[in-house]
Structures are given as structure tokens and as C-alpha cells.
Amino acid sequence: MSQDNAERSADQLPTWNLDHLYPGPDSQAVKQDCSDAAAKAKAFRQDYEGKLAGLSGSELAAAISDYEAIEETLGRLMSYAQLRHSTDMTDAKVGRFHQSIQETVTGISAQLIFFTLELNRLDDLDLAEKLKDSDLARYRPWLEEQRAFRPYQLSEDLERILHEKHVTGRAAWNRLFDETMAALKFPLNGEELTEAQILNKLTDRDENTRKAAAKSLASVLKQNLRLFTQITNTLAKDKAIEDSWRKFQKPVSSRNLANVVEDEVVESLVEAVRSAYPRLSHRYYALKAKWFGREKLEYWNRNAPLPQANDRRIAWGEAEKHVLTAYGEFSPRLAEVGERFFSQGWIDADPRPGKASGAFSHPTVPGAHPYILMNYQGRVRDVMTLAHELGHGVHQVLAADQGYLMANTPLTLAETASVFGEMLTFQSLLRSESDPTRRKIMLAGKVEDMLNTVVRQISFHEFETIVHDKRREGELLPDELCDIWMQTQQASLGPSLSFDDDYRTFWSYIPHFVHVPFYVYAYAFGDCLVNSLYAVYQEAEAGFAEKYLEMLAAGGSKRHKELLAPFNLDASDPAFWGKGLSVIESMIDELERLDTSM
């Protein structure tokens, strides 16, 4: 356990220290970086606009290096503003600072738009000749990623308009959604709860509490459904307009291109999971309904703890120990990097009013370090969330050496380290448990987490696909969105779950639909990939951990085929997804065996 945690009480939850980025919103450092970035961006445009074709390889490498430095400064400013805002979305001054930095950064970065557009106009043979320079060759993966967007690139004037209007368009609607959700209060048993708290009550041991929480969630969402419908319609139409101008064939295509994954690979994943619904979620929830002595399980019992489950609250210090022990059993290096998050104030875990719900690990910039946000409630699932986000954080630390332009991993691979961290933690805890009842409870919890990550996220993807397709035909009414939600949920979760009209509103609180359209399939991609990767690890000889850390350290400098090749895995192989899904299936098999033997 870290020294900081040893000094505070075992259950005191940490809050992060953003001074590592800037000492305060009104600090001279913030003002200086804004001023310096603006001056450097203006000078950069004067020095390079219209001149890239005439540069040598080494000169072009120097230009990219200058561009990267400016972008990193802007990234540091935006990270600071976003992180402050995520911990208090109801404070108007915090919101104003976030908006002002976003407007400043957007204005400065508009000066740089010409650069990637002009890079993409370079002749292939000319660029190939320039890439013979070793300094420029280092940026080859980034250049290839930029040039993949060439067929969808607009004129500089249009690109600049889209860029500058982002703060009053998509970003403004995102902010409206976030601040609305953060301000909502959900009544339960005489208390006013935040979104994170009411969602936590859906896993409470008492069924009456779970049902009341579900009804409260539905009631408050329904009161705000008109607003959430307008946000969804506006953002879907905004995307459709831009996709049309760029000539993307499908709403998901732009996300796939950004994820450096082919449309057919994503389609193969979706079809594999969809065809596995009966073997996975349908079968598991039928089993769970039987454990609860019912023919059908009410939706508020979907994530209920099993009747025999111990509801003991896990203190923060104990959660830290569990996760770092599991990481250390796999690789001391993994645990050493992970420990820094606890000892150096890189985690904010305290659930409080105004704070963003859910969890994330924000990479900030290579010159700083990542920050983890979560809302720790002391459940086993929270320990797994900690393991998940710490996986992201360690990945981001290891990849930082690639530099600002190539440190970030495509979303399809960004979930690898997080899900692998969960699996390490779960398997470590399972190995230490010999009691059949406890093993059953742990396996059931893991299966539910995997179903939430794979089946539920693919059903979310199906919801988004239908919504965006139908939005191209016209605005969707609240009831139409609710109908699509029910259609995709019932298909994915199966006949052993029962729903009432209150569940129809639950689509409206999913933030990924608003913030990052078509993000959600990346979770299923990552889970299936990790299941296959963990199977290789179990059979591997010495050296697996080293290859795994090398994969994480590659960041965005390699594509999924290159990264998975050392493990003899290929996500473009249709059989690949079956391997990953078979791991979930085998766990349900074991639960059925345990059920008959007890």
C-alpha cells in the first residue's frame, strides 16, 4: 500500500492534485501558455503554409516536431480545463473557465489546420522520398493515419469553419448534457442522490431499494426526456451533415477510420456477438432468474447481487492492495507504474455532488501524466472499475515515450490494457478462493461484467446504428427513440428479463452516445481481444509479460495486426471473435456445473 494511503484512514477516498498541470485557473502559467501557443501557431503558419512540398525530409520532420510541441501545449490546457470541470460540473465559474479555454484552444488550433491538409496533398512518391530521412520516418505511422482521411478531406475554408464552430455546435450540446446530468437529483427514501449514487443503488442487496432506485431513475429521466431527445436529434443530424459532406458511406465509417479498423472487422465483431446472444446473455439471465426463484428477472434485478452474496464494503486501501497485488503477480513493472497513481495524487475516487458520473483515465499529455476519475462505492464492481481504469492509466504512462502525436492508441486497442487489468485482478481473487459458493458468486459477477462489456455494448452499438440511420430520414420523437431502445435491449438480454415502460427512458443517460458516437463497440472489441490474449498468456512460456508491455508502450505507432502478431492473434480472422466469446461461454458452463453440484 502507498505511503499516502497508509497515513490516511483506510477508507478515506483520494482526490487528485491538478497542480501537476497548472497551479490554478488564474495562474500566470495558464496565461503564459495561452499566449505562447498563440504566437507560435501564428509563426508556424507563416513559416510553413504553402511550402511543405518544397521541404526536405529533415525539414519536414522539424516542422512536424514544432507542430507537435504546439499541440501538446494546447492539449495540456484543455486537459486541465476538462479535469477541473469533470469534478464540479455545477459550478458556473468552473464551467466558464472550461468554455473559455476551449474557445481559446479552438481559435489557436485553427491556425494549424492548413498543416495536415497540406500534408495530405503531398504526392505519394514525393513523400516516399522524404521518408528516407530517419527523423521523418519516425512519424510514418502518424502520417499514414492522417493520409487515410484524404478521400474525406474538405477545403481548408470548410475545415476551418467546422473546426471553429465546434465550440458552439457539438461541444456546446455535450456541455449541456453533462451539466444537466450532473445537476439532476434522484429522490430515494428521503434523500436526493446523484446519478452515480442512484445507479449504485441498482446493485443494492435489498430488492425494494433496487426497484425504488430504478423507478426514481426512470422518473427523473422522463421529466428531462424532451431535452435529451433534442440533444440526440441535433447531434445525430450534425453528424449526418458532416458525413454527407465528407462522403462517408455509413454513420460508423468515420469512427472506424479513426480507430484504424476496417468496416468489415467491426461488422464481423457485431455479427459474432449478436449470434451469440442465446448462448451468452439469454442463457445466463435464465440461470440467474432460477437462482432468484423466478421465471423472469425484473430489469432492476439484472445486476442484483446473488442471494448468497456477502455485501461487505471493501475499503479503498484494500481495493488498492487487491489491484496492485494482481498487477505485481503478472509483472512487477506493471505494479510499479500503477502504484504511482495512488502515491502521487493521480486519482479522484470520492463520489460527490456535481462530479461527473462513471469513470475514466485521461491521458493528458506525455509531458505530464494521466489522471483517473471514478466514483468509488466500495463494491466488488468498484474494485474491478479501479483495475480497469488503472490499466488505462498504466498504458498511457508506458506509451508516453511515443510523443504527443503517437502516444494515443485507437479506441479498439485502448481497451486492451484496461480489460486485461480487470482479468488479472479477477483471476488473482479467484485463485485465492476455494469455497464453492464464493467461487460461484465471483464467477457470476465476472460473467455479468463481461456481458455488460460485450453484449450490452454491442446492443448499444445497434441502438446507435438504428438511431443514426433513421435520423437521416427525419427527426425522431421521444417514443421512437424509446422503441428502438426496447427493441435492441430485449433482443440482446433475452426472454428471461422483464421490462416495463419505465425502462424505456434508460437510453437517455448513456454519455457515450453524446460524447463519442460509435465508441461503444470498442469495449466489446477489447474484451474479446483480451479473452484471446489471456488464453495465450495461460499457455505461454516465459517472456509473455515483456511482449505485453512492449505492446502497450507502442501506443499508436502500430496497428492492430502488428501489435497482435507476436501473440499469433489476428482480429481480421472471423474465428478470432469466437475464441474471445468462448471464454464467456465457458464461465457460464462452469456456473451451470456448480449449480448442479451444490
Side-chain angles (χ1 to χ4, degrees), residues 186-191 193 197-218 294 299-305 311 379 506:
F186 301 86
L188 184 70
N189 299 330
E191 292 185 85
L193 303 184
Q197 291 170 327
I198 200 72
L199 291 174
N200 183 58
K201 294 295 183 182
L202 294 176
T203 61
D204 194 90
R205 187 163 184 78
D206 178 62
E207 181 174 1
N208 290 330
T209 299
R210 295 194 299 271
K211 181 178 180 179
K215 298 297 182 180
S216 177
L217 177 64
R294 301 173 190 187
Y299 68 89
W300 56 80
N301 289 324
R302 184 174 62 84
N303 287 322
D311 204 28
R379 303 292 181 83
F506 279 31

Side-chain angles (χ1 to χ4, degrees), residues 62 66 93 96 110 164 299 320 331 349 372 422 494 509 530 553 590:
D66 290 345
K93 291 182 179 178
R96 182 177 64 182
E164 292 193 3
Y299 68 89
E320 176 188 348
S331 163
I372 289 174
E422 279 189 77
Y509 77 83
V530 164
E590 185 174 352

Side-chain angles (χ1 to χ4, degrees), residues 37-38 40-46 49 67 105-115 156 160 163-164:
K40 288 177 180 178
K42 183 178 180 181
F44 182 86
R45 186 173 186 178
Q46 291 172 345
E49 188 172 22
Y67 171 83
V105 166
T106 299
I108 294 170
S109 58
Q111 296 287 329
L112 306 174
I113 287 175
F114 82 92
F115 189 60
E156 183 176 341
R160 185 162 180 167
H163 179 79
E164 292 193 3

Side-chain angles (χ1 to χ4, degrees), residues 191-420:
E191 292 185 85
E192 297 286 319
L193 303 184
T194 65
E195 181 197 4
Q197 291 170 327
I198 200 72
L199 291 174
N200 183 58
K201 294 295 183 182
L202 294 176
T203 61
D204 194 90
R205 187 163 184 78
D206 178 62
E207 181 174 1
N208 290 330
T209 299
R210 295 194 299 271
K211 181 178 180 179
K215 298 297 182 180
S216 177
L217 177 64
S219 175
V220 175
L221 292 177
K222 189 174 182 179
Q223 292 167 25
N224 292 272
L225 199 59
R226 183 176 177 183
L227 173 60
F228 293 140
T229 298
Q230 184 175 359
I231 291 172
T232 300
N233 272 296
T234 302
L235 291 177
K237 182 61 177 177
D238 179 78
K239 180 171 173 29
I241 292 169
E242 186 167 338
D243 282 353
S244 175
W245 277 85
R246 296 190 185 280
K247 296 183 169 42
F248 282 113
Q249 294 302 306
K250 301 177 182 178
V252 73
S253 295
S254 59
R255 176 63 53 208
N256 294 346
L257 190 63
N259 284 348
V260 199
V261 64
E262 302 78 10
D263 283 3
E264 54 270 24
V265 170
V266 176
E267 289 166 6
S268 177
L269 163 65
V270 172
E271 181 53 39
V273 175
R274 190 165 46 199
S275 65
Y277 286 168
R279 306 194 311 273
L280 301 179
S281 48
H282 296 190
R283 184 161 65 114
Y284 174 76
Y285 291 122
L287 193 60
K288 187 168 184 178
K290 187 180 78 169
W291 293 336
F292 276 75
R294 301 173 190 187
E295 288 187 13
K296 289 195 173 188
L297 201 65
E298 298 84 356
Y299 68 89
W300 56 80
N301 289 324
R302 184 174 62 84
N303 287 322
L306 298 194
Q308 313 96 316
N310 181 352
D311 204 28
R312 180 180 71 86
R313 190 179 189 283
I314 300 169
W316 175 256
E318 186 181 350
E320 176 188 348
K321 183 179 179 181
H322 281 317
V323 175
L324 291 182
T325 297
Y327 276 38
E329 289 169 347
F330 173 75
S331 163
R333 170 67 173 151
L334 203 66
E336 182 272 322
V337 176
E339 195 278 336
R340 292 188 218 165
F341 285 79
F342 297 92
S343 63
Q344 298 185 28
W346 299 357
I347 302 177
D348 192 305
D350 181 34
R352 54 191 183 274
K355 183 179 176 181
S357 63
F360 62 74
S361 179
H362 182 54
T364 70
V365 295
H369 56 75
Y371 284 91
I372 289 174
L373 177 143
M374 62 180 297
N375 290 273
Y376 189 79
Q377 310 273 356
R379 303 292 181 83
V380 172
R381 277 196 173 92
D382 294 317
V383 178
M384 291 300 149
T385 298
L386 175 61
H388 181 103
E389 299 305 338
L390 192 65
H392 277 308
V394 170
H395 190 177
Q396 291 155 355
V397 169
L398 294 174
D401 286 344
Q402 296 295 336
Y404 185 77
L405 296 181
M406 292 186 293
N408 287 339
T409 307
L411 294 179
T412 43
L413 293 169
E415 294 299 331
T416 304
S418 55
V419 179
F420 197 80

Side-chain angles (χ1 to χ4, degrees), residues 58-73:
S58 61
E59 290 170 334
L60 184 56
I64 295 175
S65 179
D66 290 345
Y67 171 83
E68 182 173 37
I70 298 169
E71 287 285 2
E72 178 158 356
T73 299

